[in-house]
Amino acid sequence: MPFLGQDWRSPGWRWVKTADGWKRCEPFSPALEDGNSQLSDISPTVILTDDDEEEMYSTEDCEFATKKRKKDHCRNNTNSQCKSDFYREKWIYVHKESTRERHGYCTLGEAFNRLDFSSAVQDIRRFNYVVKLLQLIAKSQLTSLSGAAQKNYFNILDKIVRKVQEDQYNPRLIKDLLQDLSSTLCTLIRGVGKSVLVGNINIWICRLETILMWQQQLKNLQMNEQVNNGLTLSDLPLHMLNNILYRFSDGWDIITLGQVTPTLYMLSEDRQLWKKLCQYHFAEKQFCRHLILSEKGHIDWKLMYFALQKYYPIKEQYGDTLHFCRHCSILFWKDTGHPCTASDPDTCLMPVSPQHFIDLFKF
């Protein structure tokens, strides 16, 4: 059978065919073991036969063996360097089956590493995207995480909690994530007899205790008061404050901002504001199925928004999202790019939502 690679009889050795059969060339000089040694320093070589007899081997063949050894050593170093450079790229080739060119398939844990989610949580544009992704995994994918994926998941979660504690950035979003994660874990741990979780149950119990500790820390989180003698939000004219509220895509953010001052509360109760928000997230057919009227007979758009939110998914907005190239089958952050071979790469790109990301790694 053909063999493309090193000698199948004994990789790394030089074999010589003689009248008495195959003989292995074994250099007794340590110089041959060092890929950086010079050919001129190589001593004569000994051939070990099956009868343990020693015969002198020619210098020419010895040099050939040495060159091959150095060539293999150089190739191995190059491959290692290329692999190291390859893994520095923040993109991953998504393949779900083995091919002649690629063996195995991509896993969720590998995607966490290659797409550098640990650093992504430090980027304010990607923060909400990563948190939403972890929340979806907490709700439906915990039982399918491998040991490596579990470790990466909780390392990223630890960095998220630390960022919220240091910067007080979007604590409500993280509280929702931890609540979903703790609820799911409590349910799964009770079903440990069914082996629903990968790994030792004691490890998961420790993780649950850590989550409960994080929840308590965020509950006791004190927001730092900003000391600023310059222009504040309350000093802006009404039309500018109204424009800010119209830029929000989350109803809870509007309510939270409305609690700051009486003026913002008045603006946050505007019917047109909630109507625009409902029209942005939901279709007109969905309105007709869940109409809510006020006492005066008008549509209560604020209650409509929260009612529709229970039945239909809302549109998601992120500063930066993952993109998938249909031509290269590569998943990557949009601002980092990838080595695309298409003639017009922009036509091959497709934004990937957090749910779509999970679906890519379901097998």
Side-chain angles (χ1 to χ4, degrees):
M1 60 179 289
F3 186 82
L4 303 178
Q6 292 178 321
D7 195 326
W8 59 270
R9 288 173 292 270
S10 181
W13 291 97
R14 171 69 176 169
W15 290 77
V16 179
K17 188 175 183 180
T18 65
D20 299 328
W22 286 96
K23 299 179 180 179
R24 188 176 69 188
C25 169
E26 180 180 358
F28 66 85
S29 172
L32 284 179
E33 299 297 330
D34 185 3
N36 297 325
S37 61
Q38 299 296 328
L39 295 178
S40 58
D41 297 335
I42 297 175
S43 303
T45 308
V46 178
I47 296 179
L48 300 181
T49 64
D50 295 337
D51 300 331
D52 293 335
E53 296 178 355
E54 296 185 1
E55 296 182 10
M56 297 303 296
Y57 189 47
S58 66
T59 305
E60 180 180 355
D61 289 335
C62 180
E63 291 179 356
F64 177 82
T66 305
K67 289 180 180 179
K68 185 176 183 303
R69 180 75 59 85
K70 293 174 67 177
K71 184 177 180 180
D72 291 342
H73 178 74
C74 180
R75 185 186 297 114
N76 290 336
N77 288 342
T78 303
N79 290 340
S80 299
Q81 182 64 30
C82 289
K83 185 180 292 186
S84 176
D85 293 340
F86 179 79
Y87 275 89
R88 291 195 195 105
E89 300 292 343
K90 296 182 181 180
W91 52 265
I92 184 172
Y93 180 84
V94 180
H95 53 109
K96 295 189 175 182
E97 58 184 9
S98 297
T99 63
R100 299 180 69 177
E101 294 80 12
R102 292 180 178 270
H103 296 284
Y105 53 85
C106 299
T107 63
L108 201 58
E110 184 182 3
F112 281 159
N113 279 336
R114 295 288 301 278
L115 296 172
D116 197 14
F117 276 47
S118 295
S119 299
V121 297
Q122 304 300 329
D123 190 334
I124 194 172
R125 299 170 303 164
R126 302 174 181 174
F127 183 84
N128 290 358
Y129 185 94
V130 177
V131 172
K132 181 63 176 179
L133 175 60
L134 296 187
Q135 189 172 18
L136 291 175
I137 293 175
K139 291 180 178 179
S140 61
Q141 298 297 312
L142 279 182
T143 56
S144 62
L145 292 182
S146 65
Q150 293 173 21
K151 185 176 180 180
N152 292 337
Y153 182 93
F154 282 93
N155 284 341
I156 296 170
L157 188 57
D158 179 56
K159 292 187 177 181
I160 289 176
V161 174
R162 291 185 182 181
K163 179 176 177 59
V164 174
Q165 290 175 340
E166 294 172 0
D167 302 340
Q168 289 86 40
Y169 179 74
N170 210 342
R172 178 179 58 82
L173 189 62
I174 314 307
K175 290 178 181 178
D176 292 342
L177 165 60
L178 294 178
Q179 180 60 41
D180 291 336
L181 184 57
S182 61
S183 300
T184 304
L185 269 184
C186 287
T187 304
L188 294 178
I189 287 176
R190 294 192 190 101
V192 66
K194 303 177 182 179
S195 301
V196 293
L197 288 171
V198 177
N200 191 304
I201 186 60
N202 294 325
I203 295 178
W204 284 103
I205 292 176
C206 291
R207 287 171 176 166
L208 179 58
E209 292 175 352
T210 302
I211 294 170
L212 297 177
M213 179 190 68
W214 285 337
Q215 287 180 305
Q216 188 62 37
Q217 290 175 352
L218 293 180
K219 184 178 180 180
N220 299 330
L221 181 65
Q222 298 292 329
M223 305 299 289
N224 297 330
E225 183 178 355
Q226 300 292 331
V227 179
N228 190 353
N229 297 325
L231 189 67
T232 64
L233 187 65
S234 302
D235 297 327
L236 296 177
L238 289 179
H239 73 277
M240 294 187 67
L241 293 175
N242 201 41
N243 287 337
I244 292 174
L245 286 170
Y246 270 82
R247 297 296 187 273
F248 283 28
S249 61
D250 190 327
W252 284 110
D253 291 336
I254 295 177
I255 292 178
T256 303
L257 185 60
Q259 296 173 350
V260 177
T261 63
T263 302
L264 287 171
Y265 175 77
M266 177 192 66
L267 295 176
S268 67
E269 293 295 318
D270 182 20
R271 291 182 64 253
Q272 276 301 119
L273 172 64
W274 290 99
K275 181 179 179 180
K276 291 289 184 181
L277 193 63
C278 288
Q279 291 175 340
Y280 173 76
H281 287 290
F282 310 107
E284 186 175 351
K285 292 181 179 180
Q286 298 169 341
F287 296 159
C288 300
R289 298 175 185 175
H290 304 278
L291 279 177
I292 300 177
L293 301 178
S294 64
E295 296 179 355
K296 298 181 179 180
H298 302 297
I299 297 177
D300 194 329
W301 291 105
K302 182 178 179 180
L303 293 180
M304 280 274 293
Y305 170 81
F306 290 104
L308 292 170
Q309 192 180 30
K310 296 178 181 179
Y311 298 99
Y312 309 105
I314 62 176
K315 290 184 179 180
E316 300 173 347
Q317 280 188 336
Y318 304 102
D320 187 17
T321 63
L322 290 172
H323 277 65
F324 182 74
C325 178
R326 292 186 292 266
H327 178 77
C328 306
S329 295
I330 286 179
L331 190 66
F332 63 98
W333 291 106
K334 185 178 180 180
D335 63 343
T336 59
H338 76 289
C340 188
T341 58
S343 56
D344 189 3
D346 292 338
T347 61
C348 305
L349 302 186
M350 178 180 65
V352 177
S353 67
Q355 183 60 56
H356 187 195
F357 175 88
I358 294 176
D359 295 338
L360 286 174
F361 295 95
K362 282 183 178 179
F363 304 104

